[in-house]
Amino acid sequence: MLRSGGLSPTDPLVARRRGNARLAAAVAGALALLAFLGRSSDPAAQRLNPEAPLTLGAALALTGNANLYGQDQRMGISLAQGWLEAQPHPRRVALQLEDGASDEPSAIAAFNLLIRRGVIALIGPTLSQQAFAADPIAQRQGVPVVAPSNTAKGIPQIGSFISRVSAQSSVIAPLSIDEALRREPTTRRVAVFFAQDDAYSTAKTAIFQKVLAARGLKPVSIQRTQLADNDFQNPITAALQQRPQLVVISAQAMDGGNLIRQLRELGYRGQIVVGNGLNTPNIYPICQRWCDGVLIAQAYSPELNTPVNLAFRRLFAEANQGRTPGQIAAQAWTAYQVVFEAIQRVQKRGGFEGLTLGEARQQLMKELLSGRYDTPLGPIRFRPDGEVVQGRFYVAKVRMDSTGRNGRFTLVREQELPEGTP
Amino acid sequence: MIDNGLLVQMILGALLGLSVYLPMAAGQLSLATPAFYAVGGTLAALLSTQGNAQSAISLWAVLGEMLLAGCLTAGLALLVGLPVLRLRGIYLAIATIALVEIVRVAILNLPFTGGAAGIFGIPQPFQKPFGYVLFSGALLAVCGWLFQRLEASRLGRSMAAIRDDELASRCMGIHTTRVKLTAFLASAVLAGITGVIAAHYLNTWNARQGSFDVAITTLAFVILGGSRSWLGPVIGGLLLTALPELLRPVGDLRLVLFGLVILLGPVFFPQGLITPALLERLGRWKP
């Protein structure tokens, strides 16, 4: 082994090694200082200022491939904020919105940041996969989380502080298949498409396939696609050779929209049933006039005639050139509304008097789970484990206008599900 | 302000940067780091979720997982490295990207890795991020010490010689295949054990953790930090992981700014932030 001592001290290699060691020591010192300064990350032990507004944090996917949903959610939350602020309320609430991006580390960073800033509760993250990463952090620090759009199995079961207003996929999925079969009872040949690298789509297709099996239908073709795919000619050609009468798609907005368009362009004329991932008006510009006729089960119908939904529709239309809101925006509104109303109820009872932030978070979680809420989704409440109980679900059909660039989800069926259905 | 949670991610970034740097120090552009990172993470996720979900896990068990992950990734690297390291330059890069893709699709489709949703409820060895900071910081310190030693050792100098001219170094009697394979193996082991820590820290593990995007991000650590000294990728990893979070006050423009940094970094610092000339000046400096 060559030793630096064997070389002249003026040797550039020796100087370089020494420089390296010095810089390394400086980096190590800086890291140690950062670690020391960043230790106390949660102001949970501080007393609440009775005059100051309570801060509510939201970590949404404003960037990355889930940003189509995140933008809808930002809209829903800010509309809810404006509307609820205008109503009389005893405690002011401030909102802090952070970008949780579409990956796990960013969601964790956004949650950590908001918790450190002393939020009383969190809304988000957008994707279920992110929730599995970020929710345990909120749970460990005792911060209530309301998920606006996590539909995967097992989210509220992460812990006692985790709840959601988005009904699990397994509740909604069967309705759209049943509607398709009601329209064409002779359907025997079904083709299934799903994005195999997406947690939501694989979970959804499993539910769809279970429903199909329960109705005695065995898929004639199962095609796997990828989230980032643009060209679906091969899987579509393979599926169409089996002459399907019904196509069932589990995908996200971008790839699913393209898939529908290419299915129609390649000559498929039968019914199409899609999953929750396409439950956003953002698909209209993607599949355009080819979106027409697609069947989708929803946890929200814009046609629900209640004061809160009418207000939501009106505000959404004012902010979006007359567009009709979709489920993602409605669920985000609902998430903000339930936390806001729970805060006001605790405040009215004098519940926040003399509490530390940590105790206030516990109080709020208890109140959140015990309340009943009248939201744009209809009346909802929570099960003790944080799962949403929603009685009414809908099947909608996409209707595109004559320009082929804009459309809406028209209600075709409404169904009351008995409470407590998993 | 940088909290301990972000600091853990920064240190993990620095470790991944080192993993990309190792083959590069021997002149090989390998982008296989995310594949071994994913293997390590998946192994840790599988092993630690065998018992009760969400229960605690001892530090010894995590060290055991790291040992196993090290052995597994070393074996895999040996298997892949022998044929793949015959390729050079861009061809090696493409072959290693293919490896990343194969591992990703395998994790996605294996019956026991949870498909696209992945494995969740991974138990925690530490209750607070500070524990992770100490643990991963210690690993980084050990790696730093080893790399500092390596640069003055026969192996380190052989690697530098191969990077400068492979043919000439072979003529000098350096067993180039063995040296390149050793660097590739060490890189794989480092990525594997980093994956173990990351799986516990992230609470969940899925196929997306080891994607082509990660390959590019980790390569950017080395390019921006500098590829002529081990401190380059460390500083690149620390800075580029922290930057998107530090730019949060800018709001929606933060990723645009982040992209600009990546774009302008190589323009203004073609050799990276840490250059041999800078280190030499630092070494000769007398207070």
Side-chain angles (χ1 to χ4, degrees):
Chain A
M1 191 185 284
L2 270 168
R3 296 213 170 265
S4 51
L7 294 166
S8 127
T10 50
D11 188 317
L13 280 180
V14 178
R16 223 176 276 170
R17 272 201 79 199
R18 201 185 301 130
N20 224 353
R22 284 177 177 175
L23 190 56
V27 170
L31 286 182
L33 187 70
L34 280 177
F36 181 74
L37 291 178
R39 262 177 325 152
S40 62
S41 54
D42 184 12
Q46 290 171 10
R47 297 227 162 263
L48 284 182
N49 176 355
E51 299 304 316
L54 292 172
T55 322
L56 186 55
L60 305 173
L62 303 179
T63 55
N65 59 9
N67 83 82
L68 280 184
Y69 308 117
Q71 302 295 351
D72 267 8
Q73 290 177 324
R74 164 148 74 178
M75 178 61 71
I77 286 183
S78 66
L79 293 178
Q81 191 193 10
W83 187 70
L84 289 162
E85 281 302 316
Q87 324 264 338
H89 55 281
R91 184 80 190 219
R92 281 183 301 141
V93 176
L95 174 70
Q96 290 209 355
L97 183 72
E98 283 298 335
D99 178 16
S102 307
D103 57 329
E104 289 81 352
S106 299
I108 289 182
F111 264 41
N112 274 330
L113 178 70
L114 289 165
I115 292 173
R116 207 173 63 238
R117 285 189 191 153
V119 297
I120 188 149
L122 286 161
I123 294 176
T126 301
L127 298 174
S128 296
Q129 280 162 318
Q130 293 180 299
F132 286 126
D135 285 357
I137 289 170
Q139 171 67 26
R140 282 201 285 276
Q141 307 206 40
V143 185
V145 176
V146 180
S149 57
N150 302 154
T151 52
K153 195 175 160 192
I155 297 282
Q157 287 72 29
I158 291 173
S160 54
F161 282 91
I162 315 298
S163 61
R164 64 172 158 199
V165 294
S166 43
Q168 208 177 317
S169 323
S170 58
V171 181
I172 316 176
L175 303 179
S176 49
I177 300 257
D178 287 344
E179 177 63 23
L181 295 180
R182 201 178 58 81
R183 287 164 175 248
E184 282 184 27
T186 55
T187 303
R188 281 289 158 267
R189 308 179 68 80
V190 186
V192 172
F193 288 78
F194 70 98
Q196 70 160 151
D197 57 343
D198 175 42
Y200 158 75
S201 303
T202 48
K204 187 85 180 182
T205 200
I207 297 161
F208 271 143
Q209 291 186 39
K210 215 166 120 187
V211 175
L212 288 173
R215 309 291 183 271
L217 298 168
K218 192 172 176 299
V220 289
S221 171
I222 297 179
Q223 299 294 329
R224 293 151 190 259
T225 62
Q226 306 273 332
L227 267 191
D229 281 355
N230 291 315
D231 177 9
F232 300 96
Q233 299 223 13
N234 287 336
I236 290 175
T237 316
L240 291 189
Q241 279 170 356
Q242 303 297 324
R243 289 174 287 106
Q245 298 161 293
L246 170 66
V247 168
V248 178
I249 299 174
S250 313
Q252 299 283 7
M254 190 69 88
D255 54 326
N258 276 317
L259 176 56
I260 292 171
R261 179 182 180 143
Q262 291 173 31
L263 258 172
R264 293 297 191 208
E265 284 174 339
L266 289 173
Y268 175 68
R269 293 285 166 268
Q271 298 193 88
I272 299 179
V273 167
V274 298
N276 201 19
L278 288 110
N279 220 335
T280 159
N282 296 332
I283 61 165
Y284 304 147
I286 303 172
C287 51
Q288 301 185 359
R289 66 187 164 87
W290 293 274
C291 299
D292 202 77
V294 167
L295 282 174
I296 186 162
Q298 298 184 312
Y300 168 72
S301 168
E303 291 170 36
L304 183 66
N305 196 4
T306 61
V308 56
N309 188 43
L310 291 176
F312 171 51
R313 272 195 65 165
R314 179 174 53 77
L315 292 170
F316 190 92
E318 280 168 13
N320 292 284
Q321 297 99 36
R323 272 174 45 206
T324 320
Q327 174 180 314
I328 305 277
Q331 286 174 331
W333 167 299
T334 302
Y336 187 87
Q337 187 190 341
V338 297
V339 184
F340 186 91
E341 288 182 1
I343 289 175
Q344 302 312 329
R345 284 202 306 272
V346 178
Q347 179 70 25
K348 270 183 199 152
R349 286 203 317 264
F352 289 125
E353 285 296 312
L355 294 189
T356 62
L357 178 60
E359 291 161 345
R361 286 168 173 166
Q362 281 182 19
Q363 276 281 333
L364 177 64
M365 191 65 212
K366 222 189 284 169
E367 185 62 45
L368 193 75
L369 293 184
S370 61
R372 287 175 176 271
Y373 307 86
D374 187 21
T375 70
L377 305 178
I380 62 165
R381 61 181 180 81
F382 293 98
R383 279 195 338 214
D385 64 354
E387 185 73 80
V388 66
V389 180
Q390 181 180 350
R392 209 176 295 160
F393 295 97
Y394 314 89
V395 181
K397 189 173 182 176
V398 177
R399 274 272 159 259
M400 300 303 291
D401 65 13
S402 53
T403 64
R405 298 215 160 255
N406 221 333
R408 64 198 193 93
F409 292 108
T410 52
L411 183 67
V412 292
R413 194 153 69 112
E414 188 176 327
Q415 190 160 343
E416 296 276 343
L417 287 185
E419 281 199 1
T421 312
Chain B
M1 197 30 227
I2 292 174
D3 68 22
N4 277 339
L6 179 56
L7 194 55
V8 179
Q9 293 187 14
M10 287 163 62
I11 294 173
L12 294 179
L15 287 167
L16 287 180
L18 280 178
S19 164
V20 180
Y21 164 76
L22 261 170
M24 212 178 261
Q28 311 302 309
L29 178 58
S30 157
L31 296 175
T33 291
F36 299 114
Y37 175 65
V39 168
T42 308
L43 183 79
L46 280 174
L47 289 178
S48 60
T49 48
Q50 293 303 315
N52 288 335
Q54 295 288 353
S55 62
I57 184 171
S58 76
L59 194 56
W60 291 111
V62 177
L63 288 171
E65 286 167 11
M66 287 164 79
L67 185 72
L68 270 177
C71 296
L72 185 65
T73 46
L76 190 62
L78 193 67
L79 223 89
V80 175
L82 276 175
V84 162
L85 286 173
R86 289 167 187 272
L87 302 169
R88 274 181 216 163
I90 192 77
Y91 301 102
L92 174 64
I94 292 173
T96 48
I97 289 172
L99 176 68
V100 171
E101 202 52 15
I102 289 168
V103 170
R104 187 184 72 87
V105 173
I107 293 176
L108 207 52
N109 287 292
L110 284 174
F112 49 85
T113 49
I119 302 162
F120 42 88
I122 299 177
Q124 300 296 307
F126 310 106
Q127 280 312 302
K128 293 221 150 95
F130 189 62
Y132 282 100
V133 170
L134 287 183
F135 190 60
S136 53
L139 180 63
L140 183 62
V142 171
C143 287
W145 180 73
L146 285 175
F147 275 82
Q148 184 73 9
R149 302 276 304 162
L150 177 76
E151 287 188 0
S153 72
R154 174 187 285 270
L155 177 64
R157 289 178 191 237
S158 309
M159 283 162 65
I162 295 172
R163 177 173 59 186
D164 288 343
D165 192 329
E166 190 170 343
L167 186 63
S169 45
R170 198 183 296 168
C171 295
M172 293 289 288
I174 295 172
H175 194 321
T176 54
T177 312
R178 195 159 63 200
V179 171
K180 288 194 289 184
L181 195 61
T182 311
F184 189 65
L185 237 80
S187 152
V189 171
L190 183 53
I193 58 181
T194 307
V196 172
I197 305 177
H200 287 283
Y201 175 70
L202 289 178
N203 302 300
T204 173
W205 195 262
N206 53 51
R208 294 198 304 174
Q209 303 309 323
S211 66
F212 175 63
D213 294 2
V214 182
I216 297 305
T217 316
T218 46
L219 183 63
F221 296 166
V222 185
I223 303 291
L224 191 87
S227 60
R228 305 299 287 196
S229 147
W230 65 270
L231 265 176
V234 169
I235 289 176
L238 293 172
L239 285 184
L240 285 188
T241 316
L243 200 58
E245 296 305 318
L246 297 180
L247 286 175
R248 275 188 187 274
V250 186
D252 286 351
L253 279 177
R254 72 187 179 110
L255 291 186
V256 177
L257 277 182
F258 181 60
L260 266 180
V261 170
I262 295 202
L263 188 74
L264 295 180
V267 174
F268 290 106
F269 302 97
Q271 284 191 300
L273 292 173
I274 310 300
T275 58
L278 174 78
L279 291 174
E280 223 173 293
R281 269 211 306 283
L282 259 175
R284 291 189 200 285
W285 181 65
K286 287 199 173 67

